[in-house]
């Protein structure tokens, strides 16, 4: 079945540093990837839609200069949290949609828990 | 705009009881897909079911069953004979298909007590 690998699972960083999170589709080509953020005891909120070879589309209220998304290939999208602050501490989850979008197959990564000190 | 409402924030049941998690959705799409996911403390989303808008047949998978009613825009999830391992947060989600993301409900935290 379709597998999405997300790395790292856990990351702790100091305030002001940047953190990169990778989302890879292991056995299928992902034309579209979605990045979600989940604060403790809350739901998953869509941050941005990433399409291979084009700029990401950000949801209202999400700073594109702070959350840099790159989808340079059909199997990899990266989210970079720049100049991280404690309020950026959250659980970040990606999902990938295969090229066979008619089946609307969405596969989620295991998530990345970011803690900013 | 699409919206998913899970009115139950937290539910607590005793092991072996049946429990139903409610999900009500709003969409203007004629074709759409509904999902349920389980999120244990580890955080990973576990896919449970996908149902498209043209298939109103109820589904049963072991102790899990789903009741899809387009007339009331509901997609409820029942766990029969609950077990402690069922304790988790359950999310109902909706998408219009194509290259559109999932819209999630706020989730229902289920606690099954031994």
């Amino acid at each position: 079945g379709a597998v999405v690998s997300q790395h790292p699972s856990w990351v702790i960083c100091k305030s002001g540093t940047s953190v990169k999170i990778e989302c890879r589709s292991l056995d299928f080509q992902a034309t579209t990837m979605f990045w979600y953020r989940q604060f403790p005891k809350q739901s998953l909120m869509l941050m941005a839609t990433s399409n291979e070879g084009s700029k990401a589309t950000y949801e209202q209220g999400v700073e594109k200069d702070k959350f840099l998304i790159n989808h340079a290939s059909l199997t990899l999208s990266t989210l970079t949290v720049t100049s991280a602050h404690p309020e950026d501490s959250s659980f970040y989850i990606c999902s990938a949609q295969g090229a066979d979008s008619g089946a609307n197959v969405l596969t989620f990564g295991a998530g990345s828990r970011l803690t900013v000190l | 705009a699409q919206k998913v409402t899970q009115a139950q924030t937290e539910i607590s049941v005793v092991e072996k009881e049946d429990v139903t998690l409610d999900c009500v959705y709003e969409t203007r799409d004629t074709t759409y897909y509904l999902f349920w996911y389980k999120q244990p403390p580890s955080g990973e989303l576990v896919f449970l079911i996908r149902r498209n808008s043209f298939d109103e047949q109820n589904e049963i998978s072991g102790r899990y069953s789903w009741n899809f009613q387009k007339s009331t825009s509901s997609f409820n999830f029942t766990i029969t004979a609950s077990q402690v391992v069922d304790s988790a947060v359950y999310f109902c989600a909706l998408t219009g298909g194509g290259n559109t993301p999932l819209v999630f409900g706020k989730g229902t935290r289920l606690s099954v007590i031994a």
Side-chain angles (χ1 to χ4, degrees), chain A residues 31-32 34 36 38 41-44 46 49 51 59 91 93 97-98 101-106 108-111 113, chain B residues 6 10 33 35 37 39 41-45 47 50 89 91 95-107 109:
Chain A
T31 53
T32 302
F34 303 102
Y36 292 84
Q38 184 182 29
K41 296 192 176 184
Q42 294 190 24
S43 187
L44 286 82
L46 180 68
T49 301
N51 293 304
E59 294 301 296
F91 190 58
I93 308 177
Q97 181 158 336
S101 60
N104 199 64
V105 177
L106 285 167
F108 283 85
R113 195 169 301 280
Chain B
Q6 293 179 256
E10 293 191 32
Y33 300 82
F35 297 76
Y37 287 89
Q39 188 178 43
S42 63
E44 184 171 1
L45 287 175
F47 168 81
R50 180 185 74 164
V89 180
F91 289 98
T95 181
N99 287 335
T100 58
L102 288 180
V103 174
F104 286 86
K106 293 188 175 182
R109 182 175 300 275

Side-chain angles (χ1 to χ4, degrees), chain A residues 18-19 35 37 39 45-49 56-70 78-89 92:
Chain A
S18 294
V19 174
W35 286 95
R37 178 169 54 184
F39 291 111
M45 299 303 296
L46 180 68
M47 297 177 67
T49 301
T57 303
Y58 290 82
E59 294 301 296
Q60 192 172 11
V62 178
E63 299 175 59
K64 61 180 181 180
D65 294 331
K66 180 169 185 62
F67 298 100
L68 301 179
I69 292 173
N70 184 287
T78 60
L79 166 67
T80 301
V81 183
T82 62
S83 187
H85 290 287
E87 57 265 30
D88 298 324
S89 298
Y92 294 87

Side-chain angles (χ1 to χ4, degrees), chain B residues 9-24:
Chain B
T9 304
E10 293 191 32
I11 299 176
S12 185
V13 298
V14 177
E15 204 171 22
K16 298 185 182 178
E17 287 185 350
D18 299 346
V19 59
T20 295
L21 309 182
D22 297 333
C23 174
V24 175

